Amino acid sequence: MQLAIAHDTIARWQFGVTTVYHFLFVPLTISLAALVAGLETAWVRTGKEKYFHATKFWGKLFLINIAMGVVTGIVQEFQFGMNWSDYSRFVGDVFGAPLAMEALIAFFFESTFIGLWIFGWDKLPKKIHCACIWLVAIGTMLSAYFILAANSWMQHPTGYTIDPVTKRAQLTDIGKVLFQDTTLVVVFHTLTAAFLTGAAFVVGIASWHLWKAKRKPASADQRRTASMRTSLRLGLVLAVVAGLGTALSGDTLAKVMFEQQPMKMASAEALWDTQAPAPFSIFAVGNVQKGHNSVELEIPGILSFLAKSDFHSPVPGINDTAAAEAAKYGGKPSDYIPDIFVTYWGFRLMIGFGMTSFVAGAIGLWTTRKKWFLAPEFRTGEDEPPRLMLTRTRELGPTLTKWSWRIGILTMGFPLVANSFGWIFTEMGRQPWSVFGLLTTADSVSPNVGVGTQVIAFSTFTALYAVLAVIEVRLLAKYAKAGPDVDERPPAKDPRLRGPGSDEDADRPLAFAY
């Protein structure tokens, strides 16, 4: 029995580390692809160089991020055959369908058109080149959709039947898998959270450059500042919009989960007994063995409203839900109670870090509304070169500006933390199930993989990911600090307009644009 527990635990730790690490790159890939596409569209439409410089700058960071995300994503999929063979046998006919669609459709879009975008800056017409990055952005969102559809099926199985002979799940309706309410809400929530992540990333880096620009008189800094100011405003607007979308979609998702997985939501609130009205827990210290909270601070009725849009509706508690699941599936009620500490605090840290980024975006958007935070004013004297000056048109301007920069930089990684805790809560709150109501996690692991093999694989992957994390951070920091290359000029002519026989018309090998 102890060996089985160790076997299951190590497999879960390895998949958890791989998943959380991989998901650090996914939100940035999704959001930066769309942001770069929007900036290039602005450049194509207006011809302004500040948009071109911003496109190239954020595109470089996007390419670093997506390269690391692809590598870690491939490793993640291999684990289904390594540590989770019984899971793969049981659900492969259903779970494999959206994953195959992700590879054949979404990843095709990403891999094909990102190559054209990288190498086609001086080979493709502007509009076609811009269309390539939009197709990459669409591909990243499609990829997320198909993968989240597969995960949503694990949360709420539908569109399947159990073969009476093989005892395996068989797909009967792909439409239900792809378009059930769980999938649609989860996709919207994940995408809005991804754009909040990208917005905070852009705001943080732009804030750092603009803070530095206050003391730099070089003419190149004026162009760099224009590019970073545009990026900052774009990031702030996106942070507010995406933050609102994340909150609204999160509320909808919570209502769906209250219906489909009442144990997950009860554990998120440490609600041990069914109550009507049910309070929202601000702080609690519980006793799992005794099934109650020793210390708690609550707001009456709020949980009922979040669950049923009614301040007086009953919400099932952990004890009653565990007893009901034990009666339905067998075993002891304690077998169906997840780790309350992880789910309770994971839920709060997800909300706390995510909404802090939204508030920071709202503050930044307000303080920059009149562009007095860093205006393009120049003072010229006999012995004084042109300088970019901080405008003082408002009495509180300098104070608010100083704290605005600091908040923008300090909260840059907050959505990444929120995303990680969100996934930990989502997956830990479903335990003991790998497929809710159908297959337990303990029954999903590979029976013929020894504990020693798992320990070696887990240690190797963890060490390798630590090295990759250092490389990723150093690369991003290096190119983020360098800022936009304002000396680079956009392609001078549309390739279709180059005259025959000219030097520009000569065939040249494709060159890596970065």
Side-chain angles (χ1 to χ4, degrees):
M1 181 65 181
Q2 292 179 349
L3 183 64
I5 293 175
H7 194 204
D8 175 22
T9 302
I10 296 171
R12 287 177 61 189
W13 267 101
Q14 181 173 324
F15 197 85
V17 168
T18 306
T19 301
V20 170
Y21 184 79
H22 173 63
F23 202 71
L24 293 175
F25 307 105
V26 172
L28 276 178
T29 297
I30 294 171
S31 54
L32 286 181
L35 283 166
V36 171
L39 287 168
E40 185 170 356
T41 301
W43 169 61
V44 171
R45 288 177 60 86
T46 66
K48 294 181 179 180
E49 287 193 6
K50 66 177 182 179
Y51 295 123
F52 171 76
H53 295 145
T55 300
K56 296 285 284 188
F57 174 68
W58 297 112
K60 188 180 300 182
L61 300 182
F62 162 68
L63 291 176
I64 295 171
N65 187 78
I66 195 174
M68 200 68 73
V70 169
V71 172
T72 55
I74 291 174
V75 172
Q76 184 182 23
E77 292 184 358
F78 279 128
Q79 290 192 76
F80 290 117
M82 294 165 55
N83 288 337
W84 303 97
S85 61
D86 279 358
Y87 169 85
S88 299
R89 290 190 187 95
F90 180 73
V91 305
D93 293 342
V94 180
F95 193 77
L99 293 185
M101 296 174 75
E102 188 268 340
L104 293 173
I105 301 174
F107 193 70
F108 170 81
F109 271 59
E110 293 178 68
S111 58
T112 300
F113 292 102
I114 199 171
L116 292 172
W117 187 73
I118 292 172
F119 293 102
W121 275 98
D122 60 348
K123 291 290 186 181
L124 297 173
K126 287 183 179 180
K127 292 183 179 179
I128 294 178
H129 186 266
C130 184
C132 288
I133 190 62
W134 275 113
L135 289 171
V136 172
I138 292 170
T140 62
M141 287 184 273
L142 283 175
S143 180
Y145 189 99
F146 290 126
I147 292 172
L148 290 171
N151 181 267
S152 296
W153 186 84
M154 296 168 63
Q155 309 286 342
H156 184 241
T158 186
Y160 75 97
T161 186
I162 301 296
D163 188 288
V165 178
T166 63
K167 305 299 182 182
R168 294 171 52 181
Q170 291 186 335
L171 181 65
T172 59
D173 191 340
I174 186 62
K176 288 184 177 180
V177 175
L178 295 179
F179 302 113
Q180 64 160 315
D181 54 356
T182 310
T183 300
L184 297 178
V185 176
V186 167
V187 168
F188 184 47
H189 186 58
T190 304
L191 289 181
T192 53
F195 280 102
L196 180 60
T197 304
F201 183 77
V202 170
V203 168
I205 294 175
S207 295
W208 186 81
H209 279 284
L210 291 172
W211 180 254
K212 282 183 60 181
K214 290 168 55 182
R215 301 173 178 85
K216 298 246 180 154
S219 59
D221 289 337
Q222 299 166 19
R223 291 176 290 163
R224 182 176 290 112
T225 300
S227 177
M228 286 295 98
R229 186 188 298 114
T230 297
S231 299
L232 178 67
R233 290 290 293 177
L234 175 62
L236 290 171
V237 171
L238 186 60
V240 173
V241 174
L244 288 173
T246 302
L248 294 174
S249 60
D251 177 69
T252 305
L253 180 58
K255 288 179 169 57
V256 172
M257 289 297 100
F258 271 113
E259 296 295 329
Q260 298 176 354
Q261 296 182 28
M263 176 59 78
K264 178 185 291 186
M265 301 313 298
S267 64
E269 292 298 322
L271 182 70
W272 289 97
D273 299 310
T274 302
Q275 296 186 43
F280 180 84
S281 176
I282 298 176
F283 177 83
V285 177
N287 189 318
V288 177
Q289 285 71 32
K290 295 183 179 180
H292 68 80
N293 292 328
S294 304
V295 179
E296 54 190 10
L297 178 63
E298 302 171 333
I299 303 177
I302 299 298
L303 186 60
S304 293
F305 179 80
L306 295 176
K308 303 289 180 62
S309 298
D310 181 351
F311 287 101
H312 304 286
S313 296
V315 176
I318 295 172
N319 294 325
D320 292 337
T321 304
E325 292 193 4
K328 183 176 181 179
Y329 301 111
K332 301 177 296 182
S334 59
D335 295 337
Y336 300 92
I337 299 177
D339 190 313
I340 303 300
F341 179 84
V342 172
T343 54
Y344 180 84
W345 289 110
F347 187 67
R348 273 145 190 79
L349 290 170
M350 173 189 68
I351 296 173
F353 279 101
M355 289 300 99
T356 299
S357 297
F358 163 71
V359 172
I363 293 172
L365 194 61
W366 174 258
T367 58
T368 62
R369 69 194 186 282
K370 296 295 185 182
K371 295 188 179 180
W372 49 266
F373 65 106
L374 190 64
E377 294 186 355
F378 302 93
R379 182 176 300 168
T380 304
E382 293 182 0
D383 300 321
E384 184 180 9
R387 286 181 182 271
L388 189 64
M389 302 300 295
L390 182 67
T391 304
R392 297 175 179 268
T393 56
R394 290 180 181 270
E395 190 173 332
L396 296 177
T399 302
L400 289 175
T401 298
K402 182 172 78 170
W403 284 105
S404 295
W405 300 138
R406 291 178 178 179
I407 291 171
I409 296 169
L410 292 174
T411 59
M412 181 170 62
F414 277 21
L416 290 173
V417 179
N419 292 333
S420 297
F421 279 114
W423 271 115
I424 291 170
F425 162 70
T426 298
E427 300 307 303
M428 291 286 286
R430 190 180 66 242
Q431 299 305 314
W433 303 103
S434 60
V435 182
F436 188 80
L438 295 180
L439 184 69
T440 64
T441 304
D443 292 332
S444 302
V445 295
S446 301
N448 298 321
V449 178
V451 174
T453 303
Q454 285 187 317
V455 171
I456 294 172
F458 175 50
S459 302
T460 303
F461 275 126
T462 303
L464 178 61
Y465 281 175
V467 173
L468 291 176
V470 173
I471 295 173
E472 165 84 2
V473 171
R474 292 190 67 175
L475 282 173
L476 286 176
K478 175 183 176 180
Y479 289 102
K481 287 181 179 179
D485 182 4
V486 293
D487 293 325
E488 182 179 4
R489 290 291 176 263
K493 295 181 180 180
D494 192 312
R496 294 173 299 178
L497 303 179
R498 292 173 182 163
S502 65
D503 292 337
E504 291 181 337
D505 190 50
D507 289 335
R508 291 175 295 170
L510 291 175
F512 192 78
Y514 291 90

